[in-house]
Amino acid sequence: AQTVTQSQPEMSVQEAETVTLSCTYDTSESNYYLFWYKQPPSRQMILVIRQEAYKQQNATENRFSVNFQKAAKSFSLKISDSQLGDTAMYFCAQNYGGSQGNLIFGKGTKLSVKP
Amino acid sequence: EPEVTQTPSHQVTQMGQEVILRCVPISNHLYFYWYRQILGQKVEFLVSFYNNEISEKSEIFDDQFSVERPDGSNFTLKIRSTKLEDSAMYFCASSPVMGSPIFGPGTRLTVT
């Protein structure tokens, strides 16, 4: 069975600093997608970044970037220049089956950005 | 920017009652999904829907649940005979054929 593991239940970072959230996964599929979603207190699920497994280049979206290590099945999220609005739960996810939207989520990391 | 909408935002129902949660996916998306999140827990996949039929479902999606696309815009999740443990946030999502799922704001279901 596929699993997604986030080993850091909670993290905190000072405003303007950089923080890295960890995620590991286990899959037997050769082609898949990995995602980071942000869930602020409103509980809306917001897509942060997506990585295609067949692409070696790490995805970046403004202040957000990933470190994708396919052999190690590791997919960490780096947030640079942290802002107060980054305070949220962050969920790592991997798709399975034929659709990008069949997602298995990790348990999440609660990130607090302190002023 | 296009968005997924869900109604109602909060639904309270009594145990044993049937509820229908409604979603309007993004208009040019072809895949539709339902997820749930029990308070304080991770988000769990329930079902995906494509070309007017279920394409994938999880173990959670048993006979108590059903989905339907009754017209060209709505996508519904029906829960028959609700149980206390069905209390959760239910998220609808949609995606194009080769694209990431976009989530709606969720419906909070409370079963009393």
Side-chain angles (χ1 to χ4, degrees):
Chain A
Q2 291 172 259
T3 57
V4 175
T5 302
Q6 294 179 250
S7 58
Q8 305 151 315
E10 291 191 41
M11 293 192 72
S12 65
V13 63
Q14 291 295 128
E15 199 174 4
E17 298 291 305
T18 295
V19 64
T20 299
L21 309 183
S22 301
C23 174
T24 58
Y25 61 94
D26 189 16
T27 182
S28 57
E29 299 195 3
S30 57
N31 192 23
Y32 51 90
Y33 294 82
L34 296 162
F35 305 83
W36 279 97
Y37 279 88
K38 169 185 177 180
Q39 187 178 46
S42 67
R43 298 190 73 183
Q44 170 89 46
M45 294 290 287
I46 301 166
L47 177 65
V48 175
I49 200 164
R50 180 188 80 167
Q51 174 77 42
E52 297 160 70
Y54 62 87
K55 287 189 175 179
Q56 291 186 330
Q57 187 173 8
N58 289 323
T60 62
E61 286 288 342
N62 302 313
R63 298 183 295 108
F64 299 88
S65 62
V66 299
N67 183 5
F68 173 49
Q69 301 289 328
K70 190 172 184 179
K73 295 182 178 175
S74 169
F75 181 61
S76 60
L77 175 70
K78 185 171 84 171
I79 307 174
S80 304
D81 186 25
S82 298
Q83 300 176 359
L84 296 178
D86 295 334
T87 293
M89 282 290 286
Y90 286 82
F91 291 96
C92 178
Q94 186 212 332
N95 80 310
Y96 68 96
S99 165
Q100 286 192 35
N102 301 344
L103 300 178
I104 296 173
F105 283 88
K107 291 185 177 181
T109 295
K110 185 177 180 182
L111 177 67
S112 299
V113 180
K114 300 184 185 305
Chain B
E1 188 170 331
E3 58 183 22
V4 176
T5 60
Q6 291 185 242
T7 54
S9 57
H10 187 197
Q11 174 90 47
V12 181
T13 190
Q14 289 191 324
M15 196 167 51
Q17 295 296 304
E18 174 183 286
V19 294
I20 297 176
L21 310 183
R22 292 182 166 80
C23 168
V24 178
I26 295 172
S27 61
N28 63 347
H29 285 185
L30 298 178
Y31 277 91
F32 315 120
Y33 313 90
W34 283 102
Y35 285 81
R36 80 171 184 190
Q37 184 183 32
I38 296 170
L39 186 62
Q41 299 188 23
K42 66 179 178 181
V43 180
E44 300 173 294
F45 170 76
L46 291 177
V47 66
S48 60
F49 191 86
Y50 173 72
N51 200 25
N52 284 319
E53 61 182 22
I54 291 173
S55 56
E56 191 88 31
K57 61 181 182 179
S58 71
E59 293 177 350
I60 303 168
F61 195 86
D62 59 22
D63 292 343
Q64 180 194 11
F65 295 91
S66 63
V67 289
E68 190 179 29
R69 187 153 163 83
D71 52 43
S73 60
N74 290 285
F75 179 52
T76 62
L77 174 69
K78 182 190 291 185
I79 309 175
R80 285 181 280 273
S81 188
T82 50
K83 298 176 276 199
L84 293 176
E85 54 264 38
D86 294 327
S87 293
M89 195 78 157
Y90 288 82
F91 292 102
C92 174
S94 68
S95 70
V97 173
M98 295 298 293
S100 306
I102 304 299
F103 282 73
T107 292
R108 184 156 69 101
L109 177 65
T110 302
V111 183
T112 61

